[in-house]
């Protein structure tokens, strides 16, 4: 039987508004053999924010060939994160499935790149 996780502490609306979640379209996906856990390197078009790089551990549900053209939700204001020799500029969001493998968070329909989650 699955036990529910505890909720996170309540935050203010002002704190939520400080999280900049934007939609972007994956332009290219490449192997990331240097990563400790299986991952891909992604180049994402975030419209007015430009093209950003990210590393994503999404190898169980997605192939390199199917990722270009997919829209994804990205946290754009976390700052850069060094992952080995690769600099990730945005966090691509997703949900863990029943095995802990990541399924991408995506808009239900196409929206302009750079649109902010509201």
């Amino acid at each position: 039987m699955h036990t529910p996780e505890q909720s996170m502490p309540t935050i203010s609306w002002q704190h939520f508004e400080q999280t900049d979640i934007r939609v972007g379209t994956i332009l290219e996906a490449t192997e990331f053999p240097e990563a400790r856990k299986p991952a891909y390197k992604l180049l994402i078009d975030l419209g007015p924010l430009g093209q950003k790089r990210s590393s994503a551990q999404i190898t169980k549900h997605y192939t390199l060939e199917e990722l270009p053209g997919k829209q994804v939700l990205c946290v754009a204001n976390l700052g850069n994160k060094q992952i080995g020799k690769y600099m990730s500029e945005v966090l691509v969001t997703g949900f863990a499935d029943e095995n802990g493998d990541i399924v991408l968070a995506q808009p239900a329909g196409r929206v302009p790149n750079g649109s902010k989650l509201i």
Side-chain angles (χ1 to χ4, degrees):
M1 173 179 250
H2 182 267
T3 56
E5 293 183 28
Q6 289 187 346
S7 293
M8 300 292 290
T10 300
I11 62 171
S12 69
W13 184 256
Q14 183 179 21
H15 280 117
F16 173 73
E17 288 182 315
Q18 292 174 9
T19 306
D20 192 12
I21 302 173
R22 304 287 184 123
V23 70
T25 300
I26 298 173
L27 299 175
E28 60 184 52
T30 57
E31 295 283 350
F32 191 2
E34 309 86 17
R36 283 186 282 185
K37 295 182 180 178
Y40 295 140
K41 295 178 185 178
L42 304 177
L43 181 64
I44 303 166
D45 178 1
L46 288 167
L49 299 180
Q51 295 180 1
K52 304 289 183 180
R53 297 178 296 165
S54 187
S55 169
Q57 296 173 2
I58 56 173
T59 60
K60 295 289 184 182
H61 287 288
Y62 306 94
T63 65
L64 292 172
E65 297 77 24
E66 70 182 297
L67 287 168
K70 283 195 182 294
Q71 286 197 304
V72 292
L73 296 177
C74 303
V75 181
N77 65 336
L78 284 178
N80 295 344
K81 181 175 182 181
Q82 188 78 42
I83 302 172
K85 295 182 180 180
Y86 187 73
M87 185 64 70
S88 185
E89 299 171 302
V90 295
L91 173 68
V92 174
T93 63
F95 300 93
D97 69 9
E98 61 277 356
N99 298 314
D101 300 318
I102 302 302
V103 176
L104 291 169
Q106 300 177 275
R110 290 213 61 93
V111 294
N113 288 334
S115 295
K116 185 172 175 22
L117 179 68
I118 53 174

